[in-house]
């Protein structure tokens, strides 16, 4: 599995964990459903990000890292 697919899988895992323990109002405020909807698009999940231009790789990786950070921080608050 390439780096991008593993990051996508990790983010999806975090989203599922967050949806299981956080109130819906928190999910809505964090924009989790927007990120999830974006990741569910076939052109995102099936795209070969390794062969994409460096600019697009940077933008997508930034999207992934920001959303991963948001989910990790939120999970820290709700797992206690």
């Amino acid at each position: 599995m390439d780096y991008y697919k593993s990051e996508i899988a990790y983010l999806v895992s975090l989203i599922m964990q967050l949806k299981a323990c956080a109130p819906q109002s928190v999910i809505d405020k964090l924009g989790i459903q927007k990120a999830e909807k974006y990741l569910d698009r076939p052109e995102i999940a099936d795209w070969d990000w390794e062969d994409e231009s460096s600019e697009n790789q940077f933008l997508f990786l930034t999207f992934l890292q920001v959303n991963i950070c948001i989910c990790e921080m939120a999970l820290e608050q709700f797992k206690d």
Side-chain angles (χ1 to χ4, degrees), residues 10-77:
Y10 180 56
L11 178 54
V12 169
S13 170
L14 291 174
I15 288 171
M16 299 309 288
Q17 291 175 55
L18 191 56
K19 288 173 75 174
C21 67
Q24 186 61 43
S25 61
V26 172
I27 302 290
D28 293 342
K29 287 179 184 171
L30 294 176
I32 298 300
Q33 289 165 324
K34 289 179 185 178
E36 191 175 30
K37 185 177 177 182
Y38 183 75
L39 291 172
D40 283 342
R41 295 171 50 188
E43 62 269 22
I44 299 301
D46 297 335
W47 198 262
D48 186 1
W49 290 100
E50 298 289 330
D51 291 333
E52 188 56 58
S53 70
S54 60
E55 294 86 11
N56 286 344
Q57 285 178 340
F58 175 77
L59 289 173
F60 186 59
L61 192 55
T62 300
F63 164 81
L64 290 173
Q65 290 173 341
V66 165
N67 282 283
I68 286 170
C69 184
I70 288 168
C71 288
E72 287 175 339
M73 289 172 53
L75 277 170
E76 285 179 22
Q77 300 299 312

